Amino acid sequence: MNNTILITGGAGFIGSHLVRLMVNKYPDTHIVNLDLLTYAGNLANLSDIEDRPNYTFVRGDIVDSDFLDGLFKQYKFDGVIHLAAESHVDRSIEDPIAFIKTNIIGTMNLLLAARNNWSDFSGKRFYHVSTDEVYGTLGETGLFTEETSYDPRSPYSASKASSDHLVRAFYHTYDMPVVISNCSNNYGPYQFPEKLLPLFINNIKNNKALPVYGDGKYTRDWLWVGDHATAIDLIYHKGRLGETYNIGGNNEWKNIDLIQNLCKVMDELLDREPGSSAELITYVKDRAGHDRRYAIDASKLMNELGWEPTVFAEEGLKKTAEWYLANEEWMENVTSGAYKEYYEAMYADR
Ligand code: NAD
Ligand code: DAU
């Protein structure tokens, strides 16, 4: 093998798409996927590549610094792509400590393991995958650029902002070769059904209410998860050290418009009366501190590295809905057990 890359959080939603892309695209690179397999991590997301000679899965916790040090000594990583995180805003409102541990302390442990084990930084690279939520919220107009000031407003986004700052601090203080990206809302296959789209697809299928927070006019920019994976691959290999790249789909939707479109797609796919899925829409109590609008200016990534999103609005929604309907067993497995308690706690009194 030419070199060895550590991907953390590779059994999660975005991580599994990235691991698959890199294992397939770089047969001479050893990809080590380190994941704790929390509720959000699922080895079924990677069953098609688990036997590849250039792929190794390791179960472990980035909060455990001794474990990380041993892992770096064992595999002598040339690079790190760090995705492991607690990622759901609603959970961060209920239990912020888990977010501090994994997202801040875990990131610090990884930075230290890399610094302590890389005797020199030549040819090395530490890539931190982050979110547009660090920038806070926008009004009706405007876009987040790489120069937008940080203004995180949820425990999740504050923990990610903190981890971004730590990564930048290692660049300035220790000359560690780092790169960071901040991306908008991803959607597509293998997303845990706590997030809007898989949750609503599953609820429509089961004729359950669709809990729209507040007035439903909150706006997000939606990026096909495969397009995020190609951006990460590109930035890891070609991004300039010390730089930040925003990643976005140029695909803004108000939640209620996205949901209405999803309902139409689901009516067609499930062969139901037009309008029947939309009858499930139920306005519920808003998320605390709910950011009104996110929108991304990804021109730096597009102009410098030539990246472009490839899947848009209706096509992406249809592909997503079709995947979840075709993968009922996956959905049943992840929604059995603890998911039921989560759902009850999050939505029963809303
Ligand atoms: P996810 O919740 O689906 O997956 C997170 C993965 O990290 C899981 O496999 C989980 O088991 C693992 N993990 C959690 N704690 C860990 C620990 N202590 N040690 C090792 N592994 C641990 O998340 P995702 O949506 O795939 O997001 C991946 C990354 O991308 C996160 O850093 C997130 O902040 C960022 N991001 C996500 C989005 C999005 O729309 N989902 C957008 C921008 C950025
Ligand atoms: O912007 C990037 C971020 O996108 C990532 O960093 C996060 O990891 C990811 O979870 C996502 O955050 P959001 O909070 O935007 O995603 P979520 O799917 O939770 O919610 C999308 C929008 O839908 C948001 O405005 C809240 C709303 N919503 C969500 C749920 C779960 C509802 O109206 N009802 C719901 O039940």
Side-chain angles (χ1 to χ4, degrees):
M1 297 284 163
N2 286 341
N3 62 11
T4 303
I5 298 175
L6 171 66
I7 297 182
T8 71
F13 166 48
I14 300 166
S16 60
H17 288 270
L18 178 69
V19 166
R20 179 176 296 100
L21 181 156
M22 294 194 75
V23 164
N24 284 328
K25 188 169 170 188
Y26 305 108
D28 294 330
T29 297
H30 184 192
I31 302 294
V32 177
N33 171 12
L34 164 63
D35 197 295
L36 184 58
L37 299 182
T38 67
Y39 77 92
N42 186 351
L43 287 180
N45 298 357
L46 289 165
S47 52
D48 54 324
I49 57 133
E50 66 191 2
D51 294 329
R52 294 298 176 79
N54 64 332
Y55 173 67
T56 303
F57 174 73
V58 178
R59 185 170 190 187
D61 190 347
I62 59 168
V63 176
D64 181 344
S65 54
D66 291 340
F67 161 75
L68 279 183
D69 191 56
L71 197 72
F72 271 73
K73 289 193 167 38
Q74 183 181 355
Y75 287 103
K76 305 194 175 8
F77 300 116
D78 299 288
V80 175
I81 308 181
H82 174 37
L83 293 96
E86 288 292 338
S87 69
H88 192 42
V89 174
D90 289 329
R91 287 187 194 254
S92 83
I93 296 167
E94 299 307 313
D95 178 17
I97 291 294
F99 289 70
I100 305 311
K101 284 186 186 151
T102 291
N103 300 0
I104 305 180
I105 297 173
T107 301
M108 176 51 107
N109 285 342
L110 260 184
L111 287 163
L112 285 172
R115 198 196 82 183
N116 294 340
N117 284 281
W118 286 345
S119 51
D120 81 79
F121 289 144
S122 142
K124 303 287 195 288
R125 188 161 275 229
F126 188 106
Y127 180 178
H128 177 58
V129 175
S130 192
T131 169
D132 62 354
E133 300 200 7
V134 298
Y135 298 123
T137 185
L138 290 164
E140 286 293 307
T141 57
L143 301 170
F144 295 135
T145 74
E146 288 82 1
E147 276 71 49
T148 302
S149 302
Y150 275 33
D151 185 21
R153 295 149 53 99
S154 73
Y156 163 69
S157 54
S159 70
K160 291 296 291 188
S162 179
S163 61
D164 292 10
H165 290 319
L166 289 171
V167 173
R168 281 196 193 96
F170 270 59
Y171 174 72
H172 293 293
T173 309
Y174 307 110
D175 292 324
M176 185 179 278
V178 310
V179 64
I180 298 177
S181 60
N182 297 86
C183 185
S184 61
N185 285 60
N186 285 217
Y187 70 114
Y190 300 117
Q191 188 168 34
F192 192 79
E194 62 192 354
K195 308 281 175 15
L196 180 74
L197 282 173
L199 179 91
F200 277 33
I201 290 167
N202 194 39
N203 282 13
I204 292 172
K205 185 169 163 268
N206 295 308
N207 278 308
K208 286 174 73 174
L210 304 179
V212 177
Y213 295 166
D215 66 2
K217 292 182 182 155
Y218 294 85
T219 300
R220 299 289 182 265
D221 169 58
W222 292 90
L223 179 69
W224 179 248
V225 63
D227 286 332
H228 191 186
T230 59
I232 294 173
D233 175 34
L234 196 59
I235 294 167
Y236 177 76
H237 288 100
K238 305 241 170 77
R240 282 183 294 133
L241 294 179
E243 292 291 319
T244 295
Y245 294 87
N246 279 354
I247 312 174
N250 202 12
N251 186 29
E252 265 189 67
W253 290 85
K254 284 195 169 56
N255 289 343
I256 191 62
D257 297 335
L258 182 79
I259 292 160
Q260 291 282 7
N261 265 279
L262 176 70
C263 287
K264 274 192 212 138
V265 167
M266 292 295 285
D267 285 344
E268 279 163 30
L269 294 176
L270 294 169
D271 209 12
R272 290 183 181 168
E273 273 300 295
S276 53
S277 297
E279 282 171 16
L280 298 168
I281 291 174
T282 311
Y283 288 90
V284 299
K285 189 171 146 226
D286 210 348
R287 172 184 281 175
H290 199 168
D291 288 334
R292 192 63 171 167
R293 176 171 167 260
Y294 305 142
I296 281 271
D297 176 353
S299 55
K300 177 174 172 184
L301 173 62
M302 292 169 149
N303 296 337
E304 239 182 62
L305 303 184
W307 173 85
E308 277 185 8
T310 61
V311 177
F312 293 95
E314 279 86 1
E315 182 201 353
L317 270 185
K318 186 151 183 259
K319 277 168 72 140
T320 303
E322 281 171 343
W323 187 86
Y324 288 97
L325 293 180
N327 288 275
E328 279 183 355
E329 198 183 328
W330 183 93
M331 185 60 93
E332 266 157 34
N333 286 340
V334 300
T335 51
S336 59
Y339 181 81
K340 294 197 171 74
E341 286 149 41
Y342 164 81
Y343 197 92
E344 192 62 19
M346 195 59 69
Y347 293 103
D349 298 325
R350 223 170 174 120

